[in-house]
Structure formats: structure tokens, C-alpha cells
Amino acid sequence: MATHAGGLTATCPVRVQGLVRGFGDRTVLDGLDLEVGAGEFVALLGRSGSGKSTLLRALAGLDGDVTGSGLVDVPVNSSVVFQDARLLPWQRVLDNVVLGLRGSAASERGRAALAEVGLAGRERAWPSELSGGEQQRVALARALVSEPELLLADEPFGALDALTRLRMHDLLRELCARHRPAVLLVTHDVDEAVTLADRVLLLDAGRIAVDLAIDLPTPRSHRQPQFLAYRESLLRALGVDPTEG
Amino acid sequence: MTASVLTRPRTATAPAGKPRRRLKPGRPIPFGAAVGPLLLLAAWALGSATGWLDSRTLSAPWTVVTTAGDLIADGRLQDNLAVSARRAALGLAIGTVIGTVLALVAGLSRWGEAVLDGPIQIKRAIPALALVPLLILWLGIGEQMKVTTITLGVLVPVYIHTHNGLRSIDSRYVELGESLRLRRAVFLRRIVLPGALPGFLLGMRFAVVGAWLALVVVEQINSTSGVGYMMDLARQYGQTDVIIVGLVLYGLLGLLSDGAVRLAQRRALSWRRTLAD
């Protein structure tokens, strides 16, 4: 679907209807419906094993060997950020960024994307010479350099330390504000979801159980009372008592 | 005064307690690869000088050197070496190309693997020497048979290691290629070939040595030129010095070509950090 002209389709780049996915006898997604608007930042929460990654892989078209049915309508130009940076170790940083690009301007666009994530000057480095956070920034640059209409991110900061993760939140918010892709961020971190997203979805029993719009000005802070209210209601929905711990 | 200034950092960095156990092999020894061969050479020279080694069994190193000089002076060594090198290079080139192409076909398609892998594994179990009688019947005793034998010896290690390299490429990188919608040609060039390169280069190390080994086999059968022929002729006249010259030559050629591949390996795989670095 590459419709850019007006109408409903242009405002809703992602449309999923009656999505069913299963592994063997176990049904993971059971008739799931989902819409994500253009430029909308959606965070997807769920307990471990609730099918968050399965949904994301279905949207990314990376689940060819899985049985299932349903309608999945996503833009052709979409990018994936994985939990691991997944850089090719035998390609230099710039070559990793422009891997999916074609044309003569690829190198220029790659340099610009690297500068955007704060890695100007590291174009010739090998991935193994970068820290974990830097590697994930290269992965972000690679995902955004093609100016995707949809960015799919599967717990992209899960393997980073807490401090690096906070910096990455700022960077991701900044990048998304500039490029305005629709975003589906899979995470298990309620704070991360409330901090970043316009809308938080909670996946349970194979369907969207909670659909919560986050109406808070950015930058958001844990100290805002409304932030805490959102956090509490999401934690409760996840079956965690927020007063503990 | 100067001395005390110089020694200060050493005392400062000295470990307070028991030194930590190092699990890496340690710092490389300069010219470490030459140590073993030099020891061997020393033992040989010593044995010949003391008369412990009979010159009819094994000529002294200095006799070998003068014989080599004579062989070079009358041009026999160069001529035979040129013929041998041409055979080895031709067989190596053809075998490498065939081995790599077969590995790519078998590594990238299930059908290719089903059709090709079995026969090559069977070929692997048959020594090059055992095929020579059949190849002589088919191709005669000319250059064609010799190059074919070398080719067959080369393509097996190239195939085995390249195929293994291909198969061990992390499937996450394949998934990455899918998510970036890479065209097949780009996928091959950026992910498959570099991913299989370590395996291919390991195969090449076996292949270059294998090429010289196969050469020995074919040159000592019905040959009228080449280093192997020179050695076989020397056997008939009991000239151990000429045989040793041939052996040393084979050894040097194998060592040099292996060194060349290792150099290429270090250049091409500079992105890797391994235990040996």
C-alpha cells in the first residue's frame, strides 16, 4: 500500500483486521484488530509471551513460516529495529546504514543519518568498535535513513543499561518528531511506553485489551501526577500491584 | 635520578596480590613460525657433520645447497619448477572456482544441496591418488589428466569449508536482509559472500597445500617434466641430494602459498577480533 493521496488510507498507514497467528496448537494472536495513524507513536505492552513480538513480526512480514490468517495492511516503506543492533560485523558503520539504500546519493544520506544520531565521524569504524548504545544508534540510523512511513521497534532498548536507555528515549523522540513515521514500539517497560507514546496498547489473550491515549505534554516526567496515573492503570492492567516495589 | 624516574611506573603498575591468570595464549613470539623448522635444520646439519647420518640415506644440507646451485645453473630447476607451478596454479584456479560455485549453489538452495552435497562428500572419501588410474584411461597421461587431478583435489576443501561458512551465517542477518527488502544480488554481495569468506579462506589454506600434494602424485606417474619428475629420475640414480632439493622446494612452495593465503585472510578479515590476534 503506497497511497499518499488523501482519504482514510493515507491517515491510517497500518491496518490489521482479524489477525490470527499460532505456533502449533497454541494460538498467540486471536482475531486482533489494530490501526495506527500516520505519524502516530504507539507503544505495545504485554506480559512475556503475550504475542507482542509475534504481532510486530507479522507487521514486518517476517513470519513467513507461521500459520495464520487475517488482513495486514502496512506501508511498503517500513523499517525494523531489532532488540540486538544486528549490524553486519564485516561492514563498516556507514555501509551498515546504507545497506538497504539504492542510488548515488546513498552515501550522503547515510552520513546525514549518522550525524543525526550523533555518530558523525564514526563512518569508517567497525561495529565491534562501538559500544552497545552506539550500535543501537547505528541501527536507528539504518532504520530511518530510508524515511519509512512505519517504524517497527522490537524492544530496541531492552539490552541497554538504564542511563543509556534514557538517552536513547530522548534521541528516539527527537528523531520521530523530525521524520514523523508511524511507530509501533514493542516494550515490556511501562515507563518507557508512557514516556514515549501517543497511545499505549496492552496485548492480552491474543487481542488488544487496553487502548490508552496518553495526553501529556512532552518532555514528560515521572514526577507529573498524570504520568503516575497512566503508569498505575497500565500496571494494574498488567496484573501488577503498583503500590508494591 | 633518571633511572628512578624511569622505574617508577613499573612499580606503580605492579599487581598488589597474586597475578590474574591469563587465558589468552600470550604475546606472539617474533618469527615464532621459524623456530620449529630451524631446530629441524640444526639437527640435520649436526647429524650429517658427525657422520651419524649416512650421505646415501640423506645428503648433508650443504650438499643439497650445492646441488640446488648446480640445478639452477644448468636451468633444470627453473624449467621443472615453471612446469609444476603452471599445473598447480591452473588446477588451483579451476578447482577454486568450481568449488566456490558448487558451495554457493548447495548453500543457497535445498535442491542444490540435495543434488551436490552427496557426490562431493563421496569424492572427499576417495583419495586423489585412487582416481589417477581412471583419469589416465579417460584423459591420457598429458597435461589434461594432471590438471584435472589437481582440480579435483582442490575443489573438495574449497567446497566443504565455503559451504560450511555459508550454512553458519547467522539467520538473524538473513532476517535483516528480508526486513530491508534487499535484492538478491545485494543480499549475496553484502551478507552471503562476506559471511562465507572466513570459511572460504580456510578452505583455500587446505586447497593450496592440496594442490601441491596432488601435483606430487601426478608428476611421479608417467611424467617427463616437473619437480616430481626430477625427483623420480633422481630416485633411479640414487641421488638423495636432488630428491631433497625437490622436497625442500615442495615444502617452500606449500609454505609460501599458505603464507599468502594467511596474509589475504588477515587483510580480508580485519573486522574480526579473535583469540590469535
Side-chain angles (χ1 to χ4, degrees):
Chain A
M1 197 192 86
T3 321
H4 287 277
L8 272 173
T9 46
T11 54
C12 250
V14 177
R15 251 166 208 238
V16 177
Q17 274 167 19
L19 186 68
V20 177
R21 286 289 185 273
F23 298 98
D25 298 337
R26 203 167 70 89
T27 305
V28 179
L29 300 178
D30 188 11
L32 181 138
D33 300 321
L34 169 70
E35 281 190 2
V36 180
E40 190 182 22
F41 197 129
V42 174
L44 183 66
L45 281 172
R47 273 188 290 264
S48 171
S50 59
K52 306 187 292 285
S53 292
T54 307
L55 173 58
L56 183 123
R57 293 174 65 82
L59 294 186
L62 293 175
D63 60 348
D65 47 357
V66 175
T67 54
S69 61
L71 174 90
V72 176
D73 203 359
V74 292
V76 176
N77 187 6
S78 53
S79 291
V80 185
V81 181
F82 300 93
Q83 180 167 14
D84 57 309
R86 211 165 288 199
L87 305 178
L88 298 174
W90 48 76
Q91 301 265 285
R92 293 182 190 271
V93 163
L94 181 61
D95 293 323
N96 265 292
V97 172
V98 302
L99 189 60
L101 288 188
R102 301 180 197 187
S104 52
S107 172
E108 284 313 304
R109 287 170 65 187
R111 277 170 209 284
L114 272 174
E116 257 191 319
V117 298
L119 287 173
R122 305 304 304 272
E123 291 86 357
R124 298 277 301 156
W126 296 113
S128 60
E129 293 167 348
L130 303 182
S131 70
E134 288 172 326
Q135 291 185 12
Q136 201 55 280
R137 265 151 54 194
V138 176
L140 264 181
R142 178 180 61 198
L144 289 171
V145 75
S146 58
E147 296 291 341
E149 287 173 66
L150 172 65
L151 180 67
L152 298 161
D154 190 2
E155 301 198 27
F157 314 130
L160 302 178
D161 65 89
L163 198 64
T164 312
R165 197 180 308 161
L166 290 180
R167 292 216 187 98
M168 292 295 283
H169 287 169
D170 292 341
L171 177 67
L172 182 64
R173 198 164 39 203
E174 212 176 281
L175 289 171
C176 288
R178 199 173 313 152
H179 296 272
R180 303 296 296 164
V183 182
L184 185 73
L185 172 79
V186 167
T187 178
H188 58 260
D189 182 346
V190 173
D191 285 355
E192 184 170 285
V194 178
T195 305
L196 292 172
D198 302 322
R199 191 150 65 96
V200 178
L201 306 177
L202 199 142
L203 197 59
D204 192 32
R207 289 169 190 243
I208 306 288
V210 175
D211 187 338
L212 182 67
I214 306 290
D215 189 16
L216 277 177
T218 51
R220 294 170 184 170
S221 154
H222 293 60
R223 286 189 296 276
Q224 290 164 309
Q226 259 184 301
F227 186 106
L228 293 173
Y230 284 127
R231 180 175 184 269
E232 210 161 297
S233 72
L234 286 166
L235 281 173
R236 253 185 242 288
L238 281 163
V240 181
D241 185 354
T243 53
E244 281 177 25
Chain B
M1 195 56 207
T2 328
S4 74
V5 170
L6 279 173
T7 52
R8 203 161 19 163
R10 191 177 298 171
T11 51
T13 53
K18 220 170 152 190
R20 209 180 291 272
R21 189 190 302 274
R22 297 295 303 253
L23 294 174
K24 280 194 172 189
R27 224 176 292 176
I29 302 163
F31 304 105
V35 171
L38 283 177
L39 279 177
L40 210 59
L41 189 66
W44 179 19
L46 200 68
S48 299
T50 55
W52 180 67
L53 273 173
D54 189 344
S55 66
R56 279 168 301 177
T57 314
L58 194 62
S59 304
W62 39 91
T63 320
V64 172
V65 172
T66 48
T67 307
D70 296 343
L71 286 170
I72 292 169
D74 65 11
R76 272 169 64 198
L77 193 71
Q78 296 93 307
D79 292 349
N80 285 315
L81 179 61
V83 172
S84 293
R86 198 183 141 270
R87 285 172 187 152
L90 207 59
L92 186 64
I94 300 172
T96 303
V97 171
I98 297 178
T100 309
V101 169
L102 292 181
L104 282 176
V105 173
L108 294 175
S109 89
R110 292 286 176 196
W111 270 108
E113 187 175 34
V115 172
L116 293 172
D117 198 53
I120 296 172
Q121 297 292 348
I122 293 168
K123 164 65 191 78
R124 189 167 77 110
I126 301 172
L129 188 62
L131 277 175
V132 169
L134 199 59
L135 288 175
I136 289 178
L137 280 180
W138 288 351
L139 303 168
I141 57 166
E143 289 303 296
Q144 223 181 337
M145 179 276 288
K146 296 186 175 68
V147 173
T148 306
T149 308
I150 297 169
T151 301
L152 286 173
V154 163
L155 78 84
V156 171
V158 172
Y159 168 86
I160 299 275
H161 292 281
T162 310
H163 184 234
N164 186 42
L166 273 171
R167 276 291 140 115
S168 52
I169 292 176
D170 200 326
S171 64
R172 296 176 312 136
Y173 297 142
V174 181
E175 197 178 81
L176 172 72
E178 287 170 1
S179 84
L180 290 170
R181 291 172 303 277
L182 294 187
R183 283 167 297 156
R184 200 150 182 91
V186 178
F187 173 65
L188 273 177
R189 202 173 66 239
R190 296 299 189 90
I191 296 180
V192 172
L193 293 180
L197 191 63
F200 169 77
L201 287 168
L202 182 63
M204 280 307 287
R205 284 188 64 183
F206 286 100
V208 287
V209 175
W212 296 114
L213 289 179
L215 188 73
V216 178
V217 172
V218 293
E219 286 193 337
Q220 296 190 352
I221 300 166
N222 290 318
S223 198
T224 53
S225 59
V227 178
Y229 165 72
M230 188 181 83
M231 287 166 69
D232 200 45
L233 205 64
R235 176 185 60 81
Q236 292 174 28
Y237 297 117
Q239 301 165 311
T240 54
D241 48 347
V242 177
I243 296 178
I244 301 288
V245 170
L247 285 179
V248 170
L249 204 56
Y250 276 138
L252 280 178
L253 289 170
L255 217 59
L256 282 177
S257 36
D258 186 53
V261 179
R262 285 171 72 168
L263 194 70
Q265 220 170 13
R266 207 170 309 157
R267 287 271 168 84
L269 306 181
S270 55
W271 53 270
R272 277 210 306 197
R273 284 199 202 144
T274 59
L275 208 61
D277 291 340

